[in-house]
Amino acid sequence: MNVRSFQLSDYRPITALLEDVLTEECYEKTMEAFARQLSWDSDLVLVAVEHSEIVGMIIGTIDNNKGYYYRIAVSSSHQRKGIGKALVQALRLRFEQRHVTKILITADEHNEPVLPLYESLGYVASDFFKSFQKLAIVAG
């Protein structure tokens, strides 16, 4: 498995993956944020590729010098194989290279099921970002 930056040719497989894995409401919100993040900084959108198939992706953003894991999705048939962890670790490296002051996990109702993944990587409750002020990629 290889984790790399998003490429334009990944758009269709990524949208199919998100449509398959996310609820309809989550998909709509994620696609808006995904488009904004691509226009601002596509290096913070990573994909996991296995045998030339996209099996996972993560969207990150930097807002006020803080790095945020916004949304992660792994194909149903590839879950529990370390792909999510690899995506989180690769994005963490990008954040560290950019010297963000803190890394946070966006904790909304759609991310609740994946919070244990972040906890298994050493993140604690104070790293979960729940706020009425939305991130720039969500608020527009």
Side-chain angles (χ1 to χ4, degrees):
M1 193 241 337
N2 177 39
V3 175
R4 62 167 171 76
S5 295
F6 172 87
Q7 299 170 356
L8 191 54
S9 60
D10 299 331
Y11 188 78
R12 281 198 174 167
I14 288 294
T15 55
L17 169 71
L18 293 174
E19 202 168 21
D20 182 52
V21 174
L22 305 177
T23 65
E24 187 175 337
E25 178 188 1
C26 183
Y27 174 80
E28 296 299 324
K29 289 180 180 180
T30 300
M31 288 306 293
E32 290 174 22
F34 177 46
R36 277 194 202 95
Q37 188 58 41
L38 287 178
S39 70
W40 291 339
D41 188 349
S42 63
D43 282 341
L44 297 178
V45 178
L46 304 178
V47 298
V49 181
E50 192 170 83
H51 306 296
S52 72
E53 175 190 0
I54 293 177
V55 295
M57 65 92 67
I58 190 167
I59 301 169
T61 194
I62 296 174
D63 205 342
N64 294 320
N65 206 36
K66 292 181 182 143
Y68 294 88
Y69 299 110
Y70 174 68
R71 188 78 71 223
I72 187 169
V74 175
S75 167
S76 304
S77 60
H78 289 84
Q79 292 178 2
R80 306 233 181 266
K81 295 181 179 179
I83 293 168
K85 285 183 180 185
L87 286 163
V88 170
Q89 290 167 335
L91 187 53
R92 180 185 185 102
L93 280 174
R94 302 262 170 121
F95 288 149
E96 289 171 355
Q97 290 168 348
R98 299 196 185 186
H99 308 287
V100 299
T101 55
K102 184 154 181 67
I103 299 173
L104 297 163
I105 296 101
T106 305
D108 61 17
E109 68 273 17
H110 306 295
N111 279 349
E112 292 290 328
V114 296
L115 296 184
L117 165 68
Y118 293 105
E119 290 169 341
S120 75
L121 291 167
Y123 291 96
V124 295
S126 61
D127 297 321
F128 299 143
F129 173 74
K130 297 179 183 178
S131 176
F132 294 110
Q133 179 182 353
K134 300 215 180 271
L135 294 173
I137 64 167
V138 178

